[in-house]
Amino acid sequence: MIREVVDDRRMPPWHADPRYGHFENDRSLTSRQRATVLAWVDQGAPLGDAKAVPTPRAFPEGWTIGTPDLVIEMPESYQVPAQGTVPYQYFRVPSGFTEDKWVQAAEARPGDPSVVHHVLVAIDDHKERTKGEADRVPPSTIPPTPLKRGAV
């Protein structure tokens, strides 16, 4: 996967079009950097100097924002396929709010963080749906793997 996304120039992400000039903070790789990464992948991604490896990152148990006043959970679990490409998934999760609320902090907590790359959250204040509109976009047809329910 590293080879594919570096070779296709999808990683690191940089969406400015170089045909329109130089942009500050350009995150794209130079030709030499790309060649180095691709050669490393082709060699089996060897570890390198074990003494230079940083200590593994420690992830806190529980909530990182403190105990929340409210936990909003997905009404049903989503099964993440074990293989293949998963298109973006969109879920509507009712908040239960009947009036406007100020939110000081929010934290997304997937049931299985190993299968979640990122989460985008938006407020959908539409009160009514059109006839036949689903609560979520249908998942892909790839056979699923169980995923525990998560909280937001």
mmCIF file of all heavy atoms in Angstrom, residues 78-83 142-147:
data_model
loop_
_atom_site.group_PDB
_atom_site.id
_atom_site.type_symbol
_atom_site.label_atom_id
_atom_site.label_comp_id
_atom_site.label_asym_id
_atom_site.label_seq_id
_atom_site.Cartn_x
_atom_site.Cartn_y
_atom_site.Cartn_z
ATOM 1 N N TYR A 78 -21.175 -1.144 12.567
ATOM 2 C CA TYR A 78 -20.856 -1.227 11.152
ATOM 3 C C TYR A 78 -19.780 -2.289 10.989
ATOM 4 O O TYR A 78 -18.795 -2.306 11.718
ATOM 5 C CB TYR A 78 -20.354 0.121 10.614
ATOM 6 C CG TYR A 78 -19.853 0.001 9.197
ATOM 7 C CD1 TYR A 78 -20.745 -0.207 8.152
ATOM 8 C CD2 TYR A 78 -18.500 0.057 8.908
ATOM 9 C CE1 TYR A 78 -20.303 -0.352 6.854
ATOM 10 C CE2 TYR A 78 -18.041 -0.081 7.612
ATOM 11 C CZ TYR A 78 -18.941 -0.285 6.592
ATOM 12 O OH TYR A 78 -18.494 -0.437 5.309
ATOM 13 N N GLN A 79 -19.954 -3.178 10.045
ATOM 14 C CA GLN A 79 -19.004 -4.250 9.788
ATOM 15 C C GLN A 79 -17.965 -3.773 8.772
ATOM 16 O O GLN A 79 -18.316 -3.461 7.628
ATOM 17 C CB GLN A 79 -19.727 -5.488 9.260
ATOM 18 C CG GLN A 79 -20.837 -5.972 10.170
ATOM 19 C CD GLN A 79 -20.321 -6.451 11.506
ATOM 20 O OE1 GLN A 79 -19.386 -7.241 11.581
ATOM 21 N NE2 GLN A 79 -20.911 -5.954 12.586
ATOM 22 N N VAL A 80 -16.701 -3.727 9.178
ATOM 23 C CA VAL A 80 -15.625 -3.281 8.298
ATOM 24 C C VAL A 80 -15.077 -4.491 7.548
ATOM 25 O O VAL A 80 -14.714 -5.489 8.172
ATOM 26 C CB VAL A 80 -14.492 -2.611 9.103
ATOM 27 C CG1 VAL A 80 -13.337 -2.225 8.190
ATOM 28 C CG2 VAL A 80 -15.021 -1.390 9.836
ATOM 29 N N PRO A 81 -15.021 -4.435 6.209
ATOM 30 C CA PRO A 81 -14.508 -5.570 5.446
ATOM 31 C C PRO A 81 -13.056 -5.864 5.792
ATOM 32 O O PRO A 81 -12.263 -4.956 6.039
ATOM 33 C CB PRO A 81 -14.633 -5.116 3.986
ATOM 34 C CG PRO A 81 -15.544 -3.953 4.014
ATOM 35 C CD PRO A 81 -15.444 -3.337 5.362
ATOM 36 N N ALA A 82 -12.707 -7.140 5.802
ATOM 37 C CA ALA A 82 -11.340 -7.555 6.109
ATOM 38 C C ALA A 82 -10.394 -7.236 4.963
ATOM 39 O O ALA A 82 -9.197 -7.072 5.177
ATOM 40 C CB ALA A 82 -11.306 -9.046 6.416
ATOM 41 N N GLN A 83 -10.920 -7.131 3.734
ATOM 42 C CA GLN A 83 -10.083 -6.874 2.569
ATOM 43 C C GLN A 83 -10.795 -5.911 1.633
ATOM 44 O O GLN A 83 -11.998 -5.724 1.719
ATOM 45 C CB GLN A 83 -9.808 -8.177 1.816
ATOM 46 C CG GLN A 83 -9.037 -9.186 2.612
ATOM 47 C CD GLN A 83 -8.824 -10.452 1.801
ATOM 48 O OE1 GLN A 83 -8.806 -10.420 0.575
ATOM 49 N NE2 GLN A 83 -8.649 -11.559 2.477
ATOM 50 N N ILE A 142 -18.441 -6.018 -0.019
ATOM 51 C CA ILE A 142 -17.359 -6.893 0.415
ATOM 52 C C ILE A 142 -17.784 -7.585 1.703
ATOM 53 O O ILE A 142 -18.358 -6.960 2.586
ATOM 54 C CB ILE A 142 -16.074 -6.069 0.665
ATOM 55 C CG1 ILE A 142 -15.671 -5.357 -0.626
ATOM 56 C CG2 ILE A 142 -14.945 -6.938 1.164
ATOM 57 C CD1 ILE A 142 -14.597 -4.323 -0.432
ATOM 58 N N PRO A 143 -17.514 -8.908 1.854
ATOM 59 C CA PRO A 143 -17.923 -9.597 3.089
ATOM 60 C C PRO A 143 -17.342 -8.900 4.325
ATOM 61 O O PRO A 143 -16.176 -8.525 4.345
ATOM 62 C CB PRO A 143 -17.329 -10.993 2.918
ATOM 63 C CG PRO A 143 -17.132 -11.161 1.453
ATOM 64 C CD PRO A 143 -16.857 -9.780 0.919
ATOM 65 N N PRO A 144 -18.156 -8.691 5.370
ATOM 66 C CA PRO A 144 -17.726 -7.925 6.540
ATOM 67 C C PRO A 144 -16.946 -8.733 7.578
ATOM 68 O O PRO A 144 -16.978 -9.944 7.605
ATOM 69 C CB PRO A 144 -19.054 -7.457 7.138
ATOM 70 C CG PRO A 144 -20.010 -8.536 6.743
ATOM 71 C CD PRO A 144 -19.557 -9.037 5.409
ATOM 72 N N THR A 145 -16.241 -7.978 8.428
ATOM 73 C CA THR A 145 -15.577 -8.498 9.610
ATOM 74 C C THR A 145 -16.185 -7.781 10.791
ATOM 75 O O THR A 145 -16.424 -6.578 10.729
ATOM 76 C CB THR A 145 -14.060 -8.193 9.543
ATOM 77 O OG1 THR A 145 -13.534 -8.862 8.401
ATOM 78 C CG2 THR A 145 -13.339 -8.660 10.789
ATOM 79 N N PRO A 146 -16.469 -8.481 11.912
ATOM 80 C CA PRO A 146 -17.131 -7.822 13.045
ATOM 81 C C PRO A 146 -16.336 -6.638 13.584
ATOM 82 O O PRO A 146 -15.122 -6.657 13.617
ATOM 83 C CB PRO A 146 -17.212 -8.935 14.093
ATOM 84 C CG PRO A 146 -17.104 -10.197 13.326
ATOM 85 C CD PRO A 146 -16.238 -9.890 12.151
ATOM 86 N N LEU A 147 -17.049 -5.601 13.998
ATOM 87 C CA LEU A 147 -16.464 -4.417 14.631
ATOM 88 C C LEU A 147 -17.379 -4.063 15.790
ATOM 89 O O LEU A 147 -18.578 -4.000 15.647
ATOM 90 C CB LEU A 147 -16.414 -3.252 13.637
ATOM 91 C CG LEU A 147 -16.000 -1.890 14.187
ATOM 92 C CD1 LEU A 147 -14.561 -1.938 14.655
ATOM 93 C CD2 LEU A 147 -16.170 -0.823 13.132
#
